[in-house]
Amino acid sequence: MKKLLNDPANLVAESLRGVERAHPELRVDHENRIVYRADAPVSGKVGLLSGGGSGHEPAHAGFVGPGMLDAVCAGEVFTSPVPDQMTEATKKIDGGAGVLHLVWNYTGDVMNFDMAAELAAAETDTEVQAVVMNDDVAVEDSLFTAGRRGTGAAIAVEKIVGAAAEQGRSLSELADLARRVNDSSRSMGMALTSCTVPAKGSPTFDLPDDEIEIGIGIHGEPGRRRVPLASAHDIAEMLVDPILADRDFTGGEGVFVFVNGMGATPNLELYLMYNEIAALLDKAGIVPVRTLVGPYVTSLDMAGCLVSITRFDDEMLRLWDAPVATSGLRWGM
């Protein structure tokens, strides 16, 4: 294992200190490992909270800021934050209009966010609602989840709901919008290599040089199947075909296509993959109206990619285009 480390046990804590130094527009509660907006809580605005295990950077802290999330909780690598962290974060961003928890569908995250909502209700008068994001078409009831995993759709959900929150919409309106975006999204990923968790010091799973894993999760959990190494054209078909088979993406204003790098795959290859994916969508009569290509939801140093497609209506398109100022996404500011 070759990584930029001091002590693996201190990796998350030291990384958060770096986030704080690099981004003066953010605040970090080091005791509770919470990254939040410097202007939080914003009076009269619904607070948006997400988070999860570390190792997916820029998710989750990279999406904290105006036009997106108000705070995130950071767990250890690939490990859910605990309810006490989430409860403290909920309190920090409560501006009087309630707090919406946007939860990636992994068993620990769902359970801990549920407990945090109960604790917040018991300790304060904060109204909390939660939406679970579960867009992955690869498997049901995986190693880490009951039901489908939460993967790439979180970027669309958090961006669109974040823009709507800035407009002053109510907690129930934002929860309904989050469910609509999630329901409009499907995702599928693949791995060329495993990732190496620093505390373990060796690859999470064994993947021979002449094989790839189709349907991989963002923690290195197994996918649908292993197949021989194939061309980018064939891999694109293996990812896009199951997505299109699972949902109708025709109609509306077109689709948002997100080609995500898993951590070690360069943008040179990701844009090549987008070209193959766009050709498949052209053939299916599906029109991309917005795209995002790059490493946004990673799995440490895994090589591979994830494709996420969201069917946009006019409102989603306008909210996606609205200004955002985070370290991971920034435009219109």
Side-chain angles (χ1 to χ4, degrees), residues 269-280:
E269 296 173 29
L270 295 177
Y271 276 103
L272 184 154
M273 282 297 295
Y274 178 76
N275 183 56
E276 296 292 345
I277 292 160
L280 293 171

Side-chain angles (χ1 to χ4, degrees), residues 64-138:
V64 175
M68 217 158 173
L69 299 172
D70 291 273
V72 298
C73 304
E76 289 294 339
V77 173
F78 294 172
T79 303
S80 173
V82 298
D84 286 349
Q85 290 176 265
M86 298 164 178
T87 303
E88 287 303 313
T90 299
K91 294 175 183 178
K92 285 183 184 297
I93 63 173
D94 178 17
V99 175
L100 179 61
H101 291 174
L102 296 173
V103 186
W104 301 53
N105 190 32
Y106 296 95
T107 302
D109 297 82
V110 173
M111 178 179 66
N112 290 342
F113 268 107
D114 282 347
M115 292 177 63
E118 293 175 5
L119 288 169
E123 296 176 10
T124 70
D125 59 357
T126 303
E127 182 182 1
V128 178
Q129 292 191 34
V131 174
V132 175
M133 300 173 286
N134 55 355
D135 51 294
D136 183 24
V137 304

Side-chain angles (χ1 to χ4, degrees), residues 72-223:
V72 298
C73 304
E76 289 294 339
V77 173
F78 294 172
T79 303
S80 173
V82 298
D84 286 349
Q85 290 176 265
M86 298 164 178
T87 303
E88 287 303 313
T90 299
K91 294 175 183 178
K92 285 183 184 297
I93 63 173
D94 178 17
V99 175
L100 179 61
H101 291 174
L102 296 173
V103 186
W104 301 53
N105 190 32
Y106 296 95
T107 302
D109 297 82
V110 173
M111 178 179 66
N112 290 342
F113 268 107
D114 282 347
M115 292 177 63
E118 293 175 5
L119 288 169
E123 296 176 10
T124 70
D125 59 357
T126 303
E127 182 182 1
V128 178
Q129 292 191 34
V131 174
V132 175
M133 300 173 286
N134 55 355
D135 51 294
D136 183 24
V137 304
V139 294
E140 296 271 0
D141 301 323
S142 75
L143 187 65
F144 283 71
T145 62
R148 292 182 167 183
R149 300 176 292 212
T151 58
I155 303 304
V157 173
E158 293 171 4
K159 171 62 187 74
I160 289 168
V161 175
E166 296 290 344
Q167 296 176 349
R169 298 197 198 183
S170 71
L171 179 59
S172 60
E173 288 175 321
L174 294 176
D176 288 343
L177 177 61
R179 293 186 189 98
R180 184 152 55 89
V181 179
N182 177 71
D183 291 345
S184 299
S185 304
R186 299 291 188 273
S187 304
M188 183 87 159
M190 58 78 59
L192 296 166
T193 69
S194 177
C195 58
T196 298
V197 176
K200 183 172 183 284
S202 60
T204 303
F205 59 91
D206 178 57
L207 187 59
D209 289 342
D210 59 351
E211 291 184 356
I212 58 176
E213 182 100 20
I214 301 297
I216 197 73
I218 60 172
H219 306 94
E221 60 267 47

Side-chain angles (χ1 to χ4, degrees), residues 27-46:
R27 297 290 180 268
V28 178
D29 175 344
H30 292 283
E31 179 182 356
N32 294 293
R33 294 186 176 178
I34 300 164
V35 180
Y36 58 103
R37 287 171 53 162
D39 60 351
V42 180
S43 179
K45 174 187 171 301
V46 173

